[in-house]
Amino acid sequence: MTDRTGTRRGFLRRLGAAAGASAVYDAMRTLGHAAESDFTRVPPLAKPDGRTSVAVLGAGLAGLVASYELSRAGYDVTVLEYQARIGGRNITLRGGDRLVEMGSPAQDVHFAPGNYFNPGPWRIPYHHAGLLHYCATLGVALEPFVETNYNSLLHSAAHFGGRPQRYRDVAVDYAGYTAELLTKAINTQALETGLSRDERRDVLQALRLTGALDPSGQYHASDAMALTRGYAKEPGAGENGAPVPSRPLPRGELMASGLWQAIAFHQTYEMQTTMFQPAGGMDMISRAFIPHVGHLVRLKSQVAAIRQDEHGVSVDYTRLEDGTRATLHADFCICALPLPILDQLSCQVSSELKAAIGGIAYHSSVKIGLEFRRRFWEQDDAIYGGISFTDQTISQISYPSHGYLSRGPGVLLGGYMFGESAMYLAGMTPAERIALARKEGAAIHPQYDKEFSNGVSIAWSRVPWTLGCCSNWSDQARQTHYRNLVRMDRRVVLAGEHASYVGCWQEGAVLSALNAVTQVNARAHGGQHA
Amino acid sequence: MRKSAALLGLVCALSAAPSARADSATSAGAATGALATLRDGGQIYAHVCQGCHMRDGRGGLGAGAAIPALAGNGKLEDASYPAYIVLHGEGGMPDLDTMLTDKQVAAVVNYVRTHFGNHAPDQIDAATVHDIR
């Protein structure tokens, strides 16, 4: 753009390159270089000969996608769902909702009208093409989810006196100091770089630009630095309008603080922008399936046993409404129940599949939603969406990516953790979790104390219909169990995020459902079973 | 029940790479380490176990599936069984072998076997846990 001699031509050349970019991307996907999701299109399903019935177990996203595609193709589909709602982990909590965990007092949600909290999945990477396909097909309105916000905060209790630092300052200083060090090393020939003279010049130029260095290769408060790092005094108008560049954080403490870990996190493929969220809450996706498949779902149906023989599948279940037992007969079964549940049911499948079902651990995860009387993070701190990270138990605070600048109460993600921290919080009562989230959050936002209104938390290990958050595959388990888990076992095939390489994401549920319906369709048309 | 996978040794949630945790959104700076200082079986239980097995050790009943009660559980009779399950998990329960030391496993197993109405006469020591690991 600063190319004076050929700005326009340069632009057109870039445009031409962009036109070919999708082809390049398709080729990369084919080669597996960008293989987060291998969705290209919904596999074509042939209309079955005569009546072919499929029992779908679980009305989460996998069950919904499977039912949608099969019923569209002419299959006779019945869905059994334990809960009194459709959607599974595709769930949103709003004022008036009640959350029930095992062994915890029930939580009533008191959010103001219009506010919500996604206790399960909350964001959709742009390359999760299968899920985006269903959002587009079913008319689910999407809006940007702000993943990376340069004005968000990074906090370590043990560094910088416990004062949170802006993401921008950490990111720019990290790049600046490392560029400065590398420049010095190259210039003093301290490194055996093997760089040619030309390449050396190019590298130094790149370091100077990306590290906001001055012409001598130094990183210090300067106009060049201010272009990326901003100002101690913002540029203005009038007599005192001149800006004052900001000053970098001390290098030693920055490196010791570990705050730079957030940079690497946002750079991971799954977190790269553009990120989406459904407008109004994540459950807008499962709700959008209801007009198409809602009539096929038998709610409050608790599966007890799955039996199969050469003629078909029988699923024994309890109608929770009145406690009566019933059996659903079908030609095939797509089982989209979480593995910790399925593992404990009577399930007539091969010993290999049985071992796979019991062989996958589930993550523990806790999420906390907090409502405050006003959006102080916007009004006082100019933080609009994004995530602040902390080395405290709560791990992070995320700000709503919608309703900017509105008056009235707003809902924060006041904590989101996996692993040890999640196990610790799952062992607390909901009231104790809220108290901890308020205390730790106040170290980052002192406004917490004055502005807190109410909150709700979910410990996924205590959710009666999942007994865990999502699958935690190890490389060993992949080798031992993955093929057995995703292959049709006579007339039964599994679906759900666990039956994919995109575990813990909704995209995995979508792809697994398409894999399952493809196998059912092949069998229904006389294909050999594995 | 996890059989071959347990023997092969699944890594626990904490040691999983960020990419394997997918939507966890946990930056590597997330809090860990509070557990590392704990020696008392009761504290370890509160920190790691009661999120599923509950404060009173009675577990929970879900959708046709349960988190097992530790209270009055006959499977705790031989200490090596709970030690094995703590290390290697079962079903949805994560493997805790990389999260807990031998001493911590022994402490929490001894705690569970002498609380919630359990009255085991014997104790397991870290060396025995090490052999099971």
Side-chain angles (χ1 to χ4, degrees):
Chain A
M1 278 167 278
T2 52
D3 172 13
R4 272 186 306 154
T5 56
T7 303
R8 185 173 165 76
R9 209 169 52 195
F11 173 73
L12 289 173
R13 218 176 25 241
R14 285 193 297 277
L15 192 67
S22 62
V24 173
Y25 185 60
D26 283 347
M28 279 173 64
R29 282 160 68 112
T30 309
L31 294 168
H33 288 144
E36 274 311 310
S37 164
D38 62 1
F39 179 87
T40 46
R41 60 174 183 147
V42 173
L45 304 181
K47 191 173 161 46
D49 306 325
R51 183 183 175 278
T52 304
S53 56
V54 182
V56 174
L57 311 184
L61 202 53
L64 291 172
V65 168
S67 315
Y68 176 81
E69 293 302 340
L70 288 172
S71 58
R72 238 163 47 101
Y75 288 82
D76 181 8
V77 176
T78 303
V79 187
L80 299 181
E81 168 55 47
Y82 167 79
Q83 293 190 76
R85 57 171 280 274
I86 280 173
R89 282 165 279 181
N90 179 279
I91 183 172
T92 299
L93 295 175
R94 302 176 181 83
D97 286 339
R98 168 170 272 218
L99 180 67
V100 178
E101 295 177 354
M102 295 181 294
S104 299
Q107 299 177 74
D108 291 308
V109 184
H110 298 294
F111 295 157
N115 279 347
Y116 68 84
F117 166 56
N118 291 322
W122 55 319
R123 54 188 160 185
I124 306 172
Y126 72 89
H127 48 74
H128 282 186
L131 184 57
L132 291 179
H133 161 82
Y134 285 99
C135 289
T137 302
L138 301 175
V140 178
L142 299 178
E143 60 193 8
F145 174 100
V146 176
E147 171 64 36
T148 309
N149 178 349
Y150 277 74
N151 215 36
S152 65
L153 299 168
L154 301 176
H155 169 260
S156 166
H159 293 280
F160 300 108
R163 285 184 309 280
Q165 304 299 315
R166 296 284 181 183
Y167 178 84
R168 170 183 44 255
D169 296 348
V170 170
V172 175
D173 288 350
Y174 170 78
Y177 284 130
T178 49
E180 184 184 53
L181 287 169
L182 202 46
T183 299
K184 200 182 290 178
I186 291 171
N187 281 336
T188 57
Q189 299 185 324
L191 290 179
E192 285 291 336
T193 59
L195 295 175
S196 72
R197 203 186 153 89
D198 283 354
E199 198 176 359
R200 186 167 165 272
R201 183 200 60 218
D202 295 342
V203 169
L204 289 172
Q205 200 175 2
L207 288 171
R208 189 180 147 198
L209 184 66
T210 57
L213 307 181
D214 75 6
S216 72
Q218 308 251 318
Y219 184 66
H220 63 95
S222 67
D223 290 343
M225 182 197 285
L227 286 175
T228 44
R229 202 183 187 287
Y231 304 91
K233 178 189 173 300
E234 297 283 335
E239 271 186 52
N240 300 317
V244 177
S246 62
R247 306 193 64 80
L249 299 166
R251 189 181 73 200
E253 183 148 28
L254 173 71
M255 295 300 178
S257 72
L259 295 182
W260 35 261
Q261 292 171 86
I263 305 168
F265 178 76
H266 288 307
Q267 284 177 347
T268 56
Y269 181 48
E270 283 169 329
M271 298 301 159
Q272 289 170 16
T273 58
T274 303
M275 196 75 91
F276 296 107
Q277 66 178 15
M282 187 55 81
D283 70 349
M284 290 300 170
I285 298 176
S286 47
R287 287 176 179 216
F289 278 95
I290 292 175
H292 304 276
V293 300
H295 60 289
L296 308 174
V297 182
R298 296 181 190 171
L299 296 171
K300 300 187 192 177
S301 300
Q302 179 180 301
V303 175
I306 302 164
R307 294 174 283 125
Q308 58 174 329
D309 58 25
E310 63 271 29
H311 305 297
V313 182
S314 302
V315 181
D316 300 328
Y317 67 100
T318 305
R319 296 191 189 96
L320 296 173
E321 206 88 280
D322 56 10
T324 56
R325 301 291 298 257
T327 300
L328 172 66
H329 299 283
D331 295 308
F332 301 102
C333 173
I334 293 179
C335 179
L337 302 177
L339 295 180
I341 301 286
L342 182 58
D343 183 43
Q344 296 186 43
L345 306 182
S346 168
C347 197
Q348 208 173 54
V349 293
S350 70
S351 57
E352 290 82 6
L353 177 52
K354 196 93 181 119
I357 291 168
I360 317 302
Y362 264 45
H363 283 292
S364 187
S365 177
V366 169
K367 261 185 162 180
I368 300 167
L370 302 176
E371 184 172 66
F372 293 91
R373 293 189 184 87
R374 65 182 183 95
R375 298 165 76 103
F376 57 80
W377 52 93
E378 296 180 357
Q379 295 163 2
D380 303 352
D381 299 318
I383 298 173
Y384 300 93
I387 303 166
S388 291
F389 288 105
T390 172
D391 61 1
Q392 301 175 99
T393 323
I394 55 170
S395 172
Q396 60 194 293
I397 293 171
S398 181
Y399 313 91
S401 291
H402 52 279
Y404 294 135
L405 298 168
S406 58
R407 306 250 165 213
V411 173
L412 291 182
L413 176 67
Y416 179 22
M417 59 228 88
F418 274 65
E420 181 192 322
S421 305
M423 292 175 179
Y424 179 47
L425 262 81
M428 297 179 179
T429 65
E432 289 169 340
R433 293 175 208 149
I434 299 292
L436 181 132
R438 288 181 61 183
K439 181 170 165 282
E440 293 190 352
I444 298 159
H445 294 291
Q447 301 97 322
Y448 260 48
D449 284 337
K450 187 159 172 264
E451 307 296 347
F452 176 78
S453 170
N454 68 93
V456 63
S457 68
I458 189 165
W460 280 98
S461 63
R462 296 172 90 130
V463 171
W465 36 273
T466 58
L467 304 185
C469 177
C470 54
S471 58
N472 181 11
W473 283 91
S474 66
D475 292 345
Q476 290 280 19
R478 283 273 184 219
Q479 281 184 16
T480 313
H481 296 307
Y482 182 73
R483 280 175 62 85
N484 296 330
L485 191 83
V486 300
R487 222 167 16 190
M488 194 161 193
D489 183 307
R490 287 170 288 167
R491 293 172 174 275
V492 177
V493 62
L494 269 52
E497 53 80 21
H498 49 275
S500 80
Y501 270 84
V502 201
C504 294
W505 289 93
Q506 296 179 102
E507 181 72 1
V510 171
L511 298 183
S512 75
L514 296 179
N515 171 61
V517 299
T518 303
Q519 293 191 71
V520 166
N521 187 63
R523 281 294 315 282
H525 290 86
Q528 292 299 309
H529 58 85
Chain B
M1 147 147 202
R2 187 169 328 148
K3 295 177 187 98
S4 47
L7 297 171
L8 290 168
L10 288 171
V11 294
C12 84
L14 268 185
S15 65
S19 61
R21 284 197 250 170
D23 198 22
S24 73
T26 309
S27 95
T32 55
L35 176 61
T37 63
L38 300 184
R39 291 194 169 80
D40 175 70
Q43 285 184 333
I44 295 166
Y45 182 85
H47 203 97
V48 177
C49 312
Q50 78 179 23
C52 293
H53 292 284
M54 309 298 164
R55 223 163 271 214
D56 58 6
R58 295 191 178 280
L61 190 61
I67 289 168
L70 303 174
N73 188 331
K75 289 181 175 174
L76 301 180
E77 222 158 84
D78 185 339
S80 61
Y81 178 77
Y84 179 87
I85 297 298
V86 169
L87 289 169
H88 300 297
E90 175 169 320
M93 174 177 164
D95 315 36
L96 303 172
D97 54 352
T98 55
M99 193 184 284
L100 297 175
T101 65
D102 293 339
K103 275 185 183 170
Q104 288 177 315
V105 173
V108 78
V109 166
N110 289 332
Y111 176 82
V112 166
R113 292 177 74 242
T114 52
H115 287 76
F116 316 125
N118 300 319
H119 300 287
D122 60 313
Q123 301 242 313
I124 193 169
D125 59 20
T128 311
V129 172
H130 186 77
D131 291 341
I132 296 168
R133 183 185 289 265

